[in-house]
């Protein structure tokens, strides 16, 4: 299984970006998959999670601005980020699963994750 995030870049505040996560080797139909981010000097932060049953879970700071979608046939997950803010600046990663029974945040106990993509939002 390989997860690879792409689509990051530099954008002005208020702008949009669409990230993609290629999940080769993963039976995406049966997995929850999400995005987390990490800014320099800060801990990982869960952003959004898509369950295989269609439900989506949002970090409060991105609710109303970020959406997640998935194309199971293409084994690709997308993160649409609108109205970006400087505080969204971070390296973004996709990981699976994001629904777990662990007491730990999913982005510390996930089975699969890959290289991230840098998102920089200028003010």
């Amino acid at each position: 299984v390989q997860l690879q995030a792409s689509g990051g870049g530099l954008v002005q505040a208020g702008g949009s970006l669409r990230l993609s996560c290629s999940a080769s080797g993963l039976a995406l139909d049966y997995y929850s998959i999400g995005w987390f981010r990490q800014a320099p000097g800060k801990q990982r932060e869960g952003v959004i999670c898509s369950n295989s049953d269609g439900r989506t879970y949002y970090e409060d700071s991105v609710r109303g601005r970020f959406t997640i979608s998935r194309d199971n046939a293409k084994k690709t997950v997308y993160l649409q980020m609108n109205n970006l803010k400087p505080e969204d600046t971070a390296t973004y990663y996709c990981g699976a699963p994001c629904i777990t029974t662990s007491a730990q945040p999913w982005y510390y106990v996930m089975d699969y994750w890959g290289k991230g993509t840098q998102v920089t939002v200028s003010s």
Side-chain angles (χ1 to χ4, degrees):
V1 174
Q2 285 190 330
L3 301 184
Q4 176 69 59
S6 61
L10 173 64
V11 64
Q12 288 188 334
S16 298
L17 280 175
R18 188 194 195 204
L19 306 185
S20 298
C21 171
S22 172
S24 61
L26 187 68
L28 201 53
D29 309 57
Y30 305 106
Y31 264 86
S32 59
I33 188 166
W35 293 86
F36 66 99
R37 64 189 179 187
Q38 188 164 22
K42 294 187 177 181
Q43 293 191 353
R44 290 180 187 175
E45 177 186 35
V47 175
I48 196 166
C49 170
S50 169
N51 201 357
S52 56
D53 64 2
R55 285 179 288 181
T56 302
Y57 304 89
Y58 300 86
E59 167 67 28
D60 286 344
S61 64
V62 307
R63 187 183 300 273
R65 301 188 297 121
F66 291 12
T67 56
I68 189 170
S69 59
R70 52 200 291 166
D71 186 330
N72 290 341
K74 293 184 177 180
K75 297 186 184 294
T76 303
V77 179
Y78 305 98
L79 178 64
Q80 178 66 44
M81 305 186 295
N82 298 327
N83 190 21
L84 282 160
K85 303 177 180 180
E87 51 264 41
D88 295 318
T89 295
T91 301
Y92 283 71
Y93 304 82
C94 51
C98 57
I99 303 294
T100 77
T101 57
S102 174
Q104 297 291 320
W106 67 269
Y107 39 90
Y108 286 116
V109 298
M110 55 198 165
D111 295 331
Y112 309 109
W113 70 96
K115 292 181 180 180
T117 186
Q118 177 68 37
V119 172
T120 303
V121 184
S122 63
S123 57

